[in-house]
Amino acid sequence: EDADRISALLKAIKMPITIPDSLPADALWTSMLLDKKNQAGAVRIAVPVSIGEGAVHTITKRKFLSLFP
């Protein structure tokens, strides 16, 4: 599966594949708002669809925070 291949590659080059529990979701959101892709309180993010293909999505704080347990 693409996700497994991508995870293996990121691990091989010592890139993080998870968000540390010690990083609060609110703090991460605040940092994301500093990015140039921030638009009116929402953030545009690149999301991989498959290997070699991606899409850009706009995510609100409410949606972002709902992704965290």
Side-chain angles (χ1 to χ4, degrees), residues 9-29:
L9 175 62
L10 291 173
K11 286 178 185 177
I13 60 173
K14 301 193 183 338
M15 293 294 294
I17 61 169
T18 60
I19 298 171
D21 291 336
S22 61
L23 181 59
D26 276 325
L28 183 54
W29 177 257

Side-chain angles (χ1 to χ4, degrees), residues 3-58:
D4 294 332
R5 290 178 59 202
I6 293 168
S7 290
L9 175 62
L10 291 173
K11 286 178 185 177
I13 60 173
K14 301 193 183 338
M15 293 294 294
I17 61 169
T18 60
I19 298 171
D21 291 336
S22 61
L23 181 59
D26 276 325
L28 183 54
W29 177 257
T30 299
S31 295
M32 291 171 63
L33 287 176
L34 299 174
D35 188 272
K36 65 184 176 189
K37 294 177 288 297
N38 171 21
Q39 294 180 348
V43 176
R44 293 175 48 86
I45 57 172
V47 178
V49 175
S50 63
I51 294 177
E53 182 182 355
V56 177
H57 294 274
T58 300

